[in-house]
Amino acid sequence: MSDRTDLVSGLECVKCGALHPPTLEYTCPDCGLDGILDVHYDLDAVAASMTPAALASRPHHIFRYAELLPLDPAGRRPPQPVGWTPIIDAPRLAQAWGLRRVLVKDEGRNPTASFKDRASAVGVARALQVGATTIACASTGNAASSLAGMAAGVGLPAYIFVPARAPEPKIAQLRIFGATVFRVDGTYDEAWELCQAACERYGWYNRNCAVNPSLVEGKKTGGLEAAEQLGADMPDWVVVSVGDGCTIAGVVKGLREMHTLGFIPHMPRVLGVQASGARPLADAFFAHADLVPVPVDTLADSIAVGHPRNWRKALKALRSCEGTFVDVEDDAILDAMRTTARLAGVFGEPAGVAAAAGLARARELGVVAADESALVMVTGSGLKDVKSALVAAGPPIDVPNDLDALDGFVK
Ligand SMILES: *Cc1c(COP(=O)(O)O)cnc(C)c1O
């Protein structure tokens, strides 16, 4: 891969800090799996060609940010347009939670209904570029369903490892897109280990974000896009739910690059939200310590991660923008599922609305002030987990088929 045509200038190891040439695909040769790489670009060259005027004429999907992706600009891409999801003003949420302004970015509007499409689209494009014939990942559900969808778009075989508790709608997506699905009798963390070992044994292209730096670059488009869409209206805070930590690391990086390029006047602070039953990253952040894996218990399956693989990148990103963490109980997540749907019109899955619950919690704690504004990333559609939605909302009213009888039910 010495004849790169992208603008990648090097790959920095987040553990030892070594700067490697952009020829590596996965981790730092000196640090192994701990040595997750971060992609650096020639930002002067990016600034020269990714101007606002140039962007104005490009299609509204993630590949409009070609200069800031580790891909050959002429390479093949999945055909389903990913990204350019709407940002919705939510004044009633702002009023309910006591903030000046709340905006919601509805990532459920992506082709397979989650933020993960951003990473999978880049992962599949990258796999094709390096000549891979098979791609694999381990996932709590959404990375899997998005990889299955994006791989189906280009006809690339996909092998996917999911934990026993992945919700059925996500399994249905996987199967309908034709991926080979291994449901592992174990947790997500165990499924991840098995996938890692299988990629090494069979030579599959590895889509796991924590070993493959190109994937976080895909997630970065969430930050690039929010910055381009909001410009000078960028709020004080951007709120993101956190499992492995790749999403938040990517979003911070995207915001940072757009700030450096002059698209936003200030760098927002980023609030990471974990479930109280799965908060190893928040704990490591406040302890100023290395990550300690923990057993997990939360209904927010997409962030039920006890051993986040990308913890260094996530913590570094959060500290770089004066960010912080809060955690939320499952009850607060179910409450936010209702509130976000009813006051903003956005139906998010538990891990998606965990960010909304976290913003409410941060207001209660005084971490976010009443005169501040926030953008909440709702990372996945509520249709991904209808069981939780029905727990949150309750059943409909059963009535006889009789108009007079309806009188007794109409308030
Ligand atoms: C994966 C996921 C997250 C968290 O992303 P990480 O990179 O694991 O931190 C949040 N919400 C949803 C819906 C997800 O699928």
Side-chain angles (χ1 to χ4, degrees), residues 317-394:
L318 214 61
R319 290 196 202 289
S320 78
C321 64
E322 294 174 65
T324 189
F325 272 104
V326 291
D327 66 281
V328 287
E329 300 287 348
D330 282 359
D331 280 351
I333 293 175
L334 288 176
D335 187 55
M337 209 168 176
R338 276 190 305 270
T339 315
T340 311
R342 293 173 188 185
L343 300 186
V346 175
F347 180 22
E349 70 164 89
V353 297
L359 177 60
R361 180 83 188 120
R363 263 304 289 134
E364 270 168 33
L365 295 170
V367 170
V368 172
D371 62 353
E372 289 188 304
S373 55
L375 170 69
V376 178
M377 295 274 194
V378 173
T379 40
S381 161
L383 291 176
K384 294 274 195 174
D385 184 357
V386 289
K387 259 191 203 147
S388 292
L390 287 169
V391 171

Side-chain angles (χ1 to χ4, degrees), residues 15-16 25 31 54 74 136 183 218 241 278 280 307 328 332 354 387:
K15 177 146 190 253
C16 72
E25 197 61 30
C31 302
R183 182 154 52 191
S241 64
H307 187 176
V328 287
K387 259 191 203 147

